[in-house]
Amino acid sequence: VPGLRVGGGLAGGRTSGGVDPEGTGRVRMATASVDGTFERVTARAEAFYAGVPKATVRGGYVQLGYRVARPLTVNVQYDHDWFTLDG
């Protein structure tokens, strides 16, 4: 579909120092995104996840835009994040 982009990524590793001084914890991260730019409408969304020792973070946003006139686009956006501490 012309104007549409979809992406994502995965990463991982082990911690070192900080909340895990022995470096025994696993780190996991993931992202996903969609971006659409069309004649008068734009739409974007991203989501992410990060799991580290003793914490988990999830979040993302959705943004919609409408081009009212050539130099003016009106956008609305919703963001949400979840933080979980595991002890």
Side-chain angles (χ1 to χ4, degrees):
V1 176
L4 184 64
R5 179 194 66 80
V6 177
L10 298 171
R14 294 231 172 252
T15 59
S16 177
V19 297
D20 188 25
E22 296 175 15
T24 58
R26 184 172 171 192
V27 177
R28 295 176 309 270
M29 294 174 279
T31 61
S33 64
V34 176
D35 184 301
T37 303
F38 308 103
E39 191 166 324
R40 293 185 76 100
V41 175
T42 60
R44 293 179 182 86
E46 290 189 20
F48 65 87
Y49 165 86
V52 297
K54 302 183 182 180
T56 302
V57 180
R58 293 178 180 91
Y61 75 90
V62 174
Q63 182 186 71
L64 299 173
Y66 183 77
R67 192 175 75 221
V68 179
R70 174 80 43 203
L72 178 64
T73 300
V74 176
N75 293 294
V76 295
Q77 182 168 324
Y78 172 77
D79 289 90
H80 198 85
D81 298 312
W82 296 268
F83 300 92
T84 305
L85 299 177
D86 303 326

